[in-house]
Amino acid sequence: MARANHTITNFLTGELSPFLAGRVETDRYQNAVKTCENFIVKPHGGIQRRPGTQFVAEVKDSSKKVRLIRFEFNRAQSYVLEFGNLYIRFYTQNGRIEASGTPVEVVTPYTEAQLDDIQVAQSADVMYIVHPSHNPYKLSRTSNTVWTMNSTFFKGGDITNLTAPGITSTTATTDIPVDSTAEFPASGTILIDAEQITYTGKTATTFTGIARAQNGTTGATHATTAQVFEPFWLSADGYPTAVTFHQQRLWFGGTTAKPQSIFGSKTDEFENFSLGANADDALEYAISSYKVNQVQWMSSTEVLIVGTSGGEFKVSGGGSALTPANVQVTRQTSYGGQNIQPRHVGYQTLFVDGTGTKIRSYEYQFNQDIYESEDLTFLAEHVTSGGIKEMAYQATPETIVWAVRNDGTLLGMTYDKARQIVGWHRHVTDGEFESVAVIPVSSRDEVWVSVKRTINSATKRYVEYMDPDINVDCALQYAGSATASLSGLTHLEAKSVSILGDQAVYPNATVASGAITLGSTVSAADIGLKYTSTVTTLPVEGANPAGTAQGRKKRWNEIYVRLHDSFFPKINGVMPPVRNPATGMGTPEPKTTGDVRIQNTGYDLEGTITVTQDLPGPTHLLSIFGTVSVYSG
């Protein structure tokens, strides 16, 4: 019987792939776990129970999913946008924006089925939105409560020598002669004197059925000679799939008619795509490859990176700014991608590959003068095997890439390239996560989620955000005069809720008529849905002088769990003594910083340790150590 000390000093690898369960000789194995659910891998090495979520509001129509998208003017003015079926609603400062008690809302053309394929690019108070079935739209913010959504007229080629009588009425039927209408659709929009005007028909030389645009001035008179711009996007050709800003141009990519083409606006004129030969003119370029692969995403780095369904390309100006005369496109890698907007993490671009099951980094390698891509899911490919539909990036207090899996699991990847940290963790709740967005607030980045829940036998979809000060989900907090009755919980009707009152754990209660009653009064409380945080270590390796411990019966004679500012967790199903004799009766036990010990677990072939926490309080696990006996017979 061999007996030895054994220590797990950090958990930086997070959940390890079952395919690597035999690699007991590697450093990654020593720092990995079998299960990491509702715990977050901390870059310092420990794992911490994930924050609970605060309930904000029910979505407009709970029968339909929504998508959350970030809108950031600056760190002090950031918003979460609720894209739903044909509308957008707005959130800021942990609440929904309302005017006179009514949610502020704008109308959009995007149906529920189209939400996942939306991509956006923002400049100050303006966000450009693309979807392959719609002309690009522009969302503009004037104030917290004033938002406008317009289908934008993007200038294409121009036709001059317009000679027509002035148009002075709101609707006019005067034919407008032009040099040629060959490039125009049968009906559509043109731009005259910088105003949109729609027409209902055309002949070989005229536009007919002219109508003033909604932003035109009633009664204004147009010049008899003016410049007419055709629309750059025509419905017959389809609309862009991807969008980004790069080098003071607005870039679009991948229409139905031109799936491998990219389009750059004139410099500093984001809505002018009139092509030309001058350096600041708009440009269009068709990426050449042996297969026709749709442009799926674009990313602005020191060069423009274009991801298609078949590969990744570098677009540059040969060391200079991109112009119509110097476009250089070279394939870098051939992994292909999904129509999911990439995320920037430091100097890297992270994208979802063509299978939808891997997140890859994309970065420049100076020594080879090429861009390379690393599979960031290699150590935990099982975590993303259900397919990823969305990503968001949280920079502080931890650097975490969040991803929504198709089955409603929220994935987290603690990532720090410089420190070689790639640690995966999974997060579940009483329901399904459907979307995630991250916005900056004061000293941290705040994670917002939309969640599908079953409440009182009905489907509900809620907008919530992670709050590091609570450890229940879909929560409300109370602070005020001492009371034993807590109301305002209609969003959790008929649910069993977990309660922390005045830092003491109360028995679970069931919400009835939007309220619960406690056995004593409290002045502060967190009320919400319970979730369980679980970490299970990998089978013990070492502690056997004769060689490997694999396949040998073993047990922990004693286990020490080192905690920081934590509620006591269960260790292999055992709850350590939770009361200190020095703590007065009726006084909550303070959170613990230090070592917690249990003894004499039974023999088995793995020697794993499972730490769980389901109380409405924090748990921050720094390390696990103790003595292990390995049966050598």
Side-chain angles (χ1 to χ4, degrees):
M1 181 73 66
R3 180 170 176 168
N5 296 326
H6 188 71
T7 304
I8 303 172
T9 60
N10 70 76
F11 309 90
L12 288 174
T13 302
E15 266 198 26
L16 190 70
S17 165
F19 295 154
L20 296 171
R23 298 296 304 274
V24 297
E25 85 286 0
T26 65
D27 291 339
R28 295 288 193 181
Y29 185 95
Q30 303 303 320
N31 303 330
V33 295
K34 184 177 182 179
T35 302
C36 189
E37 185 172 278
N38 287 333
F39 273 109
I40 287 174
V41 174
K42 303 280 284 186
H44 291 86
I47 54 173
Q48 187 173 27
R49 192 172 195 216
R50 73 154 169 89
T53 65
Q54 288 270 15
F55 169 78
V56 181
E58 184 177 357
V59 304
K60 181 180 181 180
D61 181 355
S62 277
S63 70
K64 294 179 172 62
K65 71 179 181 181
V66 302
R67 182 169 170 205
L68 305 183
I69 291 179
R70 164 183 179 147
F71 186 106
E72 181 188 355
F73 179 74
N74 56 35
R75 192 165 188 90
Q77 300 177 72
S78 58
Y79 303 83
V80 170
L81 311 184
E82 175 193 320
F83 277 71
N85 186 58
L86 306 178
Y87 75 91
I88 302 173
R89 287 183 171 182
F90 307 89
Y91 298 81
T92 192
Q93 297 177 0
N94 299 333
R96 185 173 62 195
I97 298 176
E98 299 181 353
S100 302
T102 301
V104 173
E105 183 178 308
V106 297
V107 174
T108 79
Y110 310 116
T111 65
E112 177 191 19
Q114 295 173 337
L115 297 179
D116 288 342
D117 292 325
I118 289 172
Q119 292 195 27
V120 302
Q122 186 183 344
S123 175
D125 268 327
V126 173
M127 174 181 281
Y128 291 95
I129 307 169
V130 299
H131 185 280
S133 297
H134 300 282
N135 183 64
Y137 271 70
K138 180 169 67 174
L139 176 68
S140 303
R141 181 194 76 141
T142 303
S143 70
N144 269 7
T145 57
V146 179
W147 300 74
T148 55
M149 181 83 169
N150 293 307
S151 178
T152 303
F153 186 100
F154 291 92
K155 295 179 181 179
D158 60 275
I159 299 176
T160 56
N161 300 323
L162 167 65
T163 56
I167 303 172
T168 59
S169 61
T170 302
T171 59
T173 57
T174 305
D175 292 352
I176 299 183
V178 294
D179 289 346
S180 171
T181 62
E183 297 301 319
F184 289 78
S187 62
T189 308
I190 56 178
L191 200 68
I192 300 177
D193 292 349
E195 291 183 6
Q196 295 183 37
I197 294 178
T198 60
Y199 63 94
T200 59
K202 69 172 186 176
T203 67
T205 57
T206 61
F207 297 116
T208 60
I210 303 302
R212 296 297 302 278
Q214 63 178 5
N215 62 345
T217 303
T218 301
T221 300
H222 290 282
T224 57
T225 301
Q227 191 175 38
V228 178
F229 287 92
E230 63 180 295
F232 191 68
W233 308 115
L234 301 176
S235 59
D237 296 331
Y239 299 107
T241 296
V243 62
T244 194
F245 285 100
H246 180 69
Q247 292 184 350
Q248 299 303 113
R249 299 178 189 263
L250 179 61
W251 291 83
F252 293 106
T255 64
T256 303
K258 300 177 179 179
Q260 290 194 151
S261 290
I262 56 175
F263 314 89
S265 72
K266 288 177 66 73
T267 303
D268 291 322
E269 292 186 49
F270 300 146
E271 295 167 22
N272 191 339
F273 284 77
S274 299
L275 303 177
N278 295 326
D280 64 347
D281 280 335
L283 59 96
E284 176 181 334
Y285 189 90
I287 298 173
S288 299
S289 65
Y290 58 91
K291 292 183 180 180
V292 178
N293 290 307
Q294 174 76 40
V295 172
Q296 300 282 51
W297 55 267
M298 295 187 291
S299 175
S300 176
T301 61
E302 69 276 5
V303 297
L304 179 64
I305 302 298
V306 178
T308 75
S309 55
E312 294 72 50
F313 296 82
K314 178 179 75 172
V315 182
S316 69
S320 302
L322 277 165
T323 72
N326 69 1
V327 179
Q328 298 180 10
V329 178
T330 54
R331 181 189 291 270
Q332 302 294 291
T333 52
S334 300
Y335 297 105
Q338 294 281 308
N339 181 22
I340 297 174
Q341 200 137 20
R343 300 299 168 194
H344 292 141
V345 180
Y347 53 86
Q348 296 179 306
T349 296
L350 271 57
F351 69 97
V352 179
D353 82 342
T355 70
T357 62
K358 297 181 184 297
I359 294 178
R360 306 194 69 95
S361 66
Y362 205 73
E363 62 178 305
Y364 179 70
Q365 299 295 325
F366 180 80
N367 292 336
Q368 292 83 20
D369 191 27
I370 60 171
Y371 280 78
E372 288 188 347
S373 179
E374 178 186 3
D375 177 9
L376 298 179
T377 61
F378 176 78
L379 297 175
E381 94 297 325
H382 67 295
V383 168
T384 56
S385 62
I388 294 169
K389 68 175 184 177
E390 187 177 36
M391 288 193 300
Y393 174 59
Q394 178 184 15
T396 60
E398 278 77 49
T399 57
I400 299 176
V401 176
W402 296 97
V404 177
R405 205 166 66 185
N406 288 324
D407 65 355
T409 299
L410 181 64
L411 306 177
M413 179 184 68
T414 303
Y415 182 59
D416 189 326
K417 173 73 173 180
R419 294 179 174 85
Q420 298 183 323
I421 298 172
V422 183
W424 283 93
H425 31 100
R426 295 177 294 106
H427 304 275
V428 296
T429 187
D430 182 358
E432 299 175 17
F433 294 101
E434 292 189 324
S435 186
V436 62
V438 176
I439 61 171
V441 293
S442 61
S443 61
R444 73 177 196 277
D445 285 352
E446 195 168 70
V447 180
W448 286 63
V449 289
S450 65
V451 189
K452 178 184 177 183
R453 303 189 184 276
T454 300
I455 306 294
N456 202 15
S457 301
T459 296
K460 297 289 186 180
R461 284 182 164 92
Y462 295 151
V463 176
E464 307 170 22
Y465 66 90
M466 288 188 183
D467 185 335
D469 295 326
I470 64 171
N471 293 97
V472 287
D473 279 347
C474 201
L476 285 184
Q477 290 182 293
Y478 172 79
S481 302
T483 181
S485 179
L486 299 170
S487 59
L489 298 167
T490 54
H491 70 291
L492 294 176
E493 185 67 24
K495 299 293 287 190
S496 175
V497 292
S498 188
I499 307 153
L500 185 70
D502 293 338
Q503 297 303 309
V505 177
Y506 279 73
N508 289 356
T510 299
V511 177
S513 299
I516 58 172
T517 300
L518 307 180
S520 60
T521 62
V522 295
S523 299
D526 302 338
I527 312 101
L529 300 173
K530 180 177 76 172
Y531 62 93
T532 301
S533 300
T534 303
V535 60
T536 300
T537 63
L538 291 164
V540 170
E541 173 59 11
N544 184 10
T548 182
Q550 305 304 300
R552 300 290 184 179
K553 288 184 178 181
K554 58 186 75 70
R555 77 166 183 181
W556 287 85
N557 303 294
E558 57 182 358
I559 300 171
Y560 290 89
V561 172
R562 181 161 292 172
L563 302 173
H564 175 75
D565 200 26
S566 300
F567 277 26
F568 282 148
K570 291 180 181 177
I571 305 168
N572 281 1
V574 177
M575 175 64 79
V578 297
R579 295 296 295 180
N580 188 317
T583 303
M585 292 294 293
T587 302
E589 189 71 25
K591 289 177 286 209
T592 296
T593 295
D595 298 339
V596 177
R597 177 177 179 251
I598 66 168
Q599 290 181 279
N600 297 324
T601 62
Y603 278 98
D604 60 31
L605 290 176
E606 293 192 341
T608 59
I609 296 171
T610 297
V611 179
T612 60
Q613 180 60 273
D614 62 3
L615 298 176
T619 297
H620 188 172
L621 176 59
L622 300 179
S623 64
I624 298 174
F625 55 94
T627 57
V628 180
S629 293
V630 179
Y631 186 72
S632 57

